[in-house]
Amino acid sequence: MNFIDVHCHINGGDYGNVDGLLKRVQSAGVKKIITVGFDLPSTEYCCKLAEKYPFVYFTAGFHPTELKKYRAGDLDKIAEYAVHEKCVAIGEIGLDYHYPDTDKPLQSELFLKQLELAEKLNIPVQIHSRDCAEDMLDILKEYAPRLKAGALLHCYSHSVEIAKELEKLGLYFSFGGTSTYSGSKKAKRCIAALSADRLLTETDSPYLAPASKYGAFPNTPESIPEILNNMAAIRGVSSEEMADTVWANAHKLFKKLVDICH
């Protein structure tokens, strides 16, 4: 089976020996990973990893909780990374109202600017959406039709009803380790209710370890088979069928997920 992790954070701090980690990831059957930028330094690091390892791809963007680092001109640098042959999306971008010091106007401003950049460059987006369901739905109702290259809501955590609204707009949804917990009823309902051609697998490593590794840190893309097997069980299909579906979905959304030889 071909497994893929469409959203993880690979860095030198949480994993120690990254070379060893990526060898283990491949041994686990994970054939491609997308390591996700959340500010300029992380985007630069992800780019270098993608240039070094053929099965690694990356995204470029500013996460909503990292905007204190943002400076004028940074989006121009994000745009430069976005045209790299292995940059598959603008991300991780979005809204996050979880923390009490949230600057909602700034989050909205930078989210919209990065959506506009993705529209201009005709590249997909990877969206982070936490405790902001109504505002996110309003923004995507306006912008999704303009995002011709597509959009992914990573680690989807809102309701089934909102998921169905967003599905009508053509969005994709990825689910990670938390969807394997027995108490994750909302995620399980969404996995069952959404069309198969909208589903993707992720780990959000080093966070959100699956049930078999609950509480462990760091989580790694080696967890993808467990996540996919759980998804297959929820939908009542074989793991092979689910893996084929997810692989096809990822390549349909992220057009740059091709095998590049240097």
Side-chain angles (χ1 to χ4, degrees):
M1 287 187 285
N2 292 321
F3 297 109
I4 184 167
D5 187 342
V6 301
H7 188 105
C8 60
H9 301 281
I10 305 300
N11 57 68
D14 292 319
Y15 303 98
N17 185 333
V18 171
D19 288 328
L21 166 69
L22 293 177
K23 287 178 182 177
R24 296 198 313 272
V25 168
Q26 287 185 293
S27 295
V30 181
K31 301 296 177 60
K32 294 183 182 181
I33 66 171
I34 300 172
T35 182
V36 173
F38 52 83
D39 60 11
L40 279 180
S42 62
T43 295
E44 179 182 10
Y45 183 85
C46 291
C47 177
K48 289 179 178 178
L49 276 184
E51 289 175 341
K52 183 177 180 181
Y53 298 96
F55 80 109
V56 176
Y57 299 78
F58 78 104
T59 73
F62 256 92
H63 189 286
T65 65
E66 303 295 324
L67 297 182
K68 291 178 181 178
K69 306 174 188 176
Y70 177 78
R71 298 293 181 269
D74 283 354
L75 284 190
D76 292 333
K77 296 175 183 177
I78 293 296
E80 291 175 8
Y81 282 112
V83 298
H84 191 285
E85 63 180 352
K86 295 192 77 178
C87 183
V88 301
I90 299 291
E92 165 179 8
I93 65 175
L95 303 174
D96 190 322
Y97 295 169
H98 183 71
Y99 300 102
D101 62 344
T102 295
D103 186 337
K104 292 183 180 180
L106 180 61
Q107 285 195 10
S108 180
E109 177 188 352
L110 266 295
F111 183 32
L112 297 182
K113 284 183 177 179
Q114 291 181 96
L115 289 176
E116 289 165 359
L117 177 61
E119 179 186 14
K120 177 183 176 182
L121 298 177
N122 195 33
I123 189 172
V125 292
Q126 287 211 13
I127 298 172
H128 172 100
S129 183
R130 187 183 190 193
D131 298 343
C132 61
E134 291 184 8
D135 286 355
M136 181 60 70
L137 182 59
D138 288 343
I139 288 173
L140 291 177
K141 280 182 176 178
E142 178 182 353
Y143 274 85
R146 295 165 51 180
L147 298 170
K148 303 299 185 186
L152 166 67
L153 273 166
H154 104 87
C155 202
Y156 183 77
S157 62
H158 302 312
S159 69
V160 174
E161 291 74 22
I162 289 177
K164 296 299 284 186
E165 287 292 308
L166 295 172
E167 183 181 28
K168 293 174 186 175
L169 299 173
L171 272 74
Y172 289 77
F173 306 81
S174 58
F175 296 88
T178 54
S179 66
T180 66
Y181 302 165
S182 60
S184 294
K185 296 179 181 178
K186 190 185 297 183
K188 294 179 189 298
R189 285 197 295 266
C190 288
I191 291 169
L194 290 165
S195 299
D197 64 2
R198 299 288 111 187
L199 298 174
L200 293 164
T201 50
E202 66 158 286
T203 60
D204 203 18
S205 301
Y207 315 108
L208 307 182
S212 71
K213 304 170 186 173
Y214 181 76
F217 187 92
N219 185 29
T220 79
E222 295 166 276
S223 298
I224 285 291
E226 180 177 351
I227 292 165
L228 183 131
N229 290 339
N230 177 71
M231 188 179 289
I234 291 169
R235 294 190 63 87
V237 299
S238 69
S239 294
E240 289 79 6
E241 180 180 341
M242 195 76 244
D244 288 345
T245 297
V246 168
W247 186 262
N249 293 346
H251 287 77
K252 183 177 180 182
L253 174 59
F254 302 114
K255 299 295 194 297
K256 293 185 188 177
L257 276 180
V258 295
D259 295 316
I260 297 171
C261 297
H262 293 287

